Amino acid sequence: MPGPSAPRATWESEERQPLLARRPRRPRRWWRAAAAAVLLVEMLERAAFFGVAGNLVLYLNSAELNWAGDQASRAALVFLGASYLLAPVGGWLADVYLGRYRAIVLSLLLYLAASGLLASTAFPDGRSSFCGEMPSAHLEPACPSPGCQYTWRATYCAPTLYAALLLLALAASSVRSNLTSFGADQVMDLGRHASRRFFNWFYWSINVGAMLSLLVVAFIQQNISFLLGYSIVVGCVGLAFFIFLFATPSFIIKPPTGSQVSSMLKLALQNCCPRLWHRHSARDPSSAQLLPDQRFPQPGPSPQEDIANFQVLVKILPVMVTLVPYWMVYFQIPEAWLLLANVVVLLILVPVKDHLLDPLLLRCKLLPSALQKMALGMFFGFTSVIVAGVLEMKRLEYINHNQTVSQQIGQDTYYAAPLSIWWQTPQYLLIGISEIFASIAGLEFAYSEAPRSMQGALMGIFFCLSGVGSLLGSSLVALLSLPGGWLYCPEDTGNINKCRMDLYFFLLAGIQAAAALLFIIIADRYERAAKGPAPQSCPRRDSG
């Protein structure tokens, strides 16, 4: 253990030496096999996830289930929201009770069972077994007046489908929280640059899975059958489970470290509400004791480590929270062509970053830190939404001068500006560049800076906050769609030609600029504190 004046980089590397001494050095092929297995499992899991999420509304609207549009959209929102918001739960369970390896195995088993339940609703015998017979539709008279209301229609098979979707969301969120940290554990002893490269390719694997789902699974669901599409989802999860078990001998497996939740809550109460803390400690001195009697040692981190970990959390969480506006902007770029275009951009840019950009910056000693990369990602996100706003202004100029092109889609006619779709390329390219900096570096930061005993939970919080950003963006759209808002144009069915999307984009740019400025201030304070003296009692953090 170095003295109090040693910088953090020194004491991290020195504290790792006893751990390495206890564990024999493995051949490099074992590290590669373990990392490759994790990347392949992540790719298959993401293909399965997007295979469920991509056409969920269409499936619920289909003749087999006959859900109303608002009911199907609500179920899809619940599924996607739960898959983000439940992420800290799986990470916490792994940190406290299960360990990451067992948490992933159990999550994949739950994933397999839930996806099988969903697939069983896609054919008649399965629906009759789990949902019963569909009630016959009763014809109702037409509404006599504009203000009348239709009778509420119960959704067929709702309990089974909601149970399957919520179990899928829990399993997906747990795999996402734990597989990220588990994969980084496999290359941790190869050094920080190995961890950085792992996160690059981990993110690339996510987008390969999304591409396979969009091009193969979604096409089959829309053009052949949902049963075959969901069967492929089940097959992806089953193959991921088999690969993970097969690669077990090559894995580094760490045990759980014990619960710190009660200690963290006590420390938070003591620091945030000292008066309430004093009243609580006066009523129950034993439960308020932060440093328990050492004659009765408890499993998990020591009380001194609890205090040090709490200090680390107080510094990390503000950094992660200031990423919420970035995700708010990211999820609000127009949906048309976005997902596929963004995936293609990332599949191209991640290898360029890993093989060309990062090595060049490393040789020139200009490789930025994770926080600097995140700030750079915010800048590109800001420029992306500015470009989107300028393009929308140009589009509205054509509309206002009646320079439009009519397009027939189904029974609806849309009036579009005579602009090539390639004009949207810059905003997608910029948001893709922003993602490889902000999101990949965010994963690296959440893993390397978290206390060892809370890596899974903090990784889950990182994913949860991205979901919070998406929900806030959707709430902002709903607010601006109220009468008088920029996005309120009921007389312009589906065309948004009377809406002011340009002002909406510029509002997002302002939110992103303010958040980026706040992030820079917080990140600068964090880095200055990190370069200062390191406390002797601070536990090791796996910086990779």
Side-chain angles (χ1 to χ4, degrees), residues 60-242:
L60 298 177
N61 284 150
S62 65
E64 289 79 8
L65 296 172
N66 198 30
W67 286 29
D70 60 332
Q71 295 167 338
S73 299
R74 190 180 305 115
L77 181 63
V78 168
F79 170 65
L80 290 174
S83 69
Y84 283 103
L85 299 180
L86 292 176
V89 176
W92 176 76
L93 288 174
D95 289 337
V96 176
Y97 300 112
L98 299 174
R100 282 193 272 273
Y101 175 81
R102 281 187 291 178
I104 294 170
V105 169
L106 293 176
S107 298
L108 288 174
L109 278 175
L110 179 62
Y111 216 133
L112 192 61
S115 59
L117 179 60
L118 180 64
S120 68
T121 64
F123 65 99
D125 290 341
R127 283 194 300 274
S128 61
S129 299
F130 289 100
C131 310
E133 298 297 329
M134 178 183 287
S136 57
H138 299 285
L139 296 178
E140 296 181 357
C143 260
S145 63
C148 75
Q149 296 182 351
Y150 289 99
T151 59
W152 179 78
R153 184 180 67 184
T155 50
Y156 172 60
C157 202
T160 300
L161 287 169
Y162 268 106
L165 293 175
L166 288 175
L167 290 175
L168 277 170
L170 178 61
S173 63
S174 180
V175 171
R176 183 185 303 170
S177 298
N178 292 299
L179 193 62
T180 312
S181 301
F182 184 81
D185 288 343
Q186 309 311 308
V187 300
M188 177 190 66
D189 293 333
L190 297 180
R192 180 179 293 274
H193 299 304
S195 294
R196 172 181 50 77
R197 295 198 64 191
F198 169 78
F199 284 116
N200 285 341
W201 291 106
F202 187 85
Y203 213 79
W204 190 82
S205 300
I206 291 174
N207 287 275
V208 171
M211 173 71 79
L212 291 175
S213 178
L214 291 170
L215 294 182
V216 179
V217 181
F219 176 83
I220 290 174
Q221 289 171 340
Q222 293 179 17
N223 296 279
I224 301 178
S225 73
F226 278 101
L227 175 59
L228 181 57
Y230 286 140
S231 297
I232 295 175
V233 169
V234 176
C236 287
V237 178
L239 183 57
F241 181 69
F242 172 77

Side-chain angles (χ1 to χ4, degrees), residues 187-388:
V187 300
M188 177 190 66
D189 293 333
L190 297 180
R192 180 179 293 274
H193 299 304
S195 294
R196 172 181 50 77
R197 295 198 64 191
F198 169 78
F199 284 116
N200 285 341
W201 291 106
F202 187 85
Y203 213 79
W204 190 82
S205 300
I206 291 174
N207 287 275
V208 171
M211 173 71 79
L212 291 175
S213 178
L214 291 170
L215 294 182
V216 179
V217 181
F219 176 83
I220 290 174
Q221 289 171 340
Q222 293 179 17
N223 296 279
I224 301 178
S225 73
F226 278 101
L227 175 59
L228 181 57
Y230 286 140
S231 297
I232 295 175
V233 169
V234 176
C236 287
V237 178
L239 183 57
F241 181 69
F242 172 77
I243 291 172
F244 193 77
L245 291 183
F246 184 77
T248 297
S250 66
F251 288 149
I252 295 174
I253 300 176
K254 297 181 179 180
T257 55
S259 176
Q260 291 182 279
V261 173
S262 59
S263 300
M264 293 294 173
L265 291 176
K266 291 177 183 178
L267 288 166
L269 182 63
Q270 184 186 27
N271 284 270
C272 299
C273 308
R275 293 183 180 178
L276 183 61
W277 168 258
H278 289 310
R279 287 201 296 268
H280 172 71
S281 59
R283 289 196 306 268
D284 190 0
S286 60
S287 66
Q289 187 176 355
L290 284 176
L291 300 178
D293 192 342
Q294 298 301 314
R295 293 174 298 175
F296 303 97
Q298 298 179 350
S302 67
Q304 291 80 7
E305 288 178 333
D306 286 339
I307 295 174
N309 287 344
F310 177 77
Q311 293 171 347
V312 172
L313 284 180
V314 169
K315 297 175 183 177
I316 290 178
L317 288 179
V319 176
M320 299 175 68
V321 168
T322 49
L323 272 177
V324 169
Y326 167 78
W327 293 113
M328 183 177 174
V329 170
Y330 170 80
F331 284 109
Q332 296 309 307
I333 295 292
E335 293 184 3
W337 197 53
L338 166 64
L339 190 54
L340 185 58
N342 187 54
V343 167
V344 172
V345 168
L346 287 169
L347 290 179
I348 296 172
L349 291 182
V350 170
V352 171
K353 175 180 182 292
D354 186 75
H355 288 297
L356 297 177
L357 182 60
D358 285 350
L360 177 62
L361 294 175
L362 188 60
R363 284 196 300 268
C364 299
K365 298 182 179 180
L366 296 174
L367 188 66
S369 66
L371 291 176
Q372 291 169 338
K373 292 176 187 176
M374 292 158 72
L376 191 60
M378 288 184 173
F379 169 76
F380 281 110
F382 168 79
T383 57
S384 173
V385 79
I386 286 289
V387 169

Side-chain angles (χ1 to χ4, degrees), residues 21-84:
R22 291 193 299 270
R23 187 167 57 219
R25 186 76 174 181
R26 302 189 306 167
R28 184 171 289 271
R29 66 177 181 273
W30 287 99
W31 306 103
R32 291 176 177 174
V38 170
L39 296 179
L40 191 54
V41 169
E42 177 64 14
M43 181 191 72
L44 292 169
E45 186 275 328
R46 287 291 90 187
F49 177 82
F50 287 110
V52 174
N55 286 319
L56 182 57
V57 173
L58 290 178
Y59 175 59
L60 298 177
N61 284 150
S62 65
E64 289 79 8
L65 296 172
N66 198 30
W67 286 29
D70 60 332
Q71 295 167 338
S73 299
R74 190 180 305 115
L77 181 63
V78 168
F79 170 65
L80 290 174
S83 69
Y84 283 103

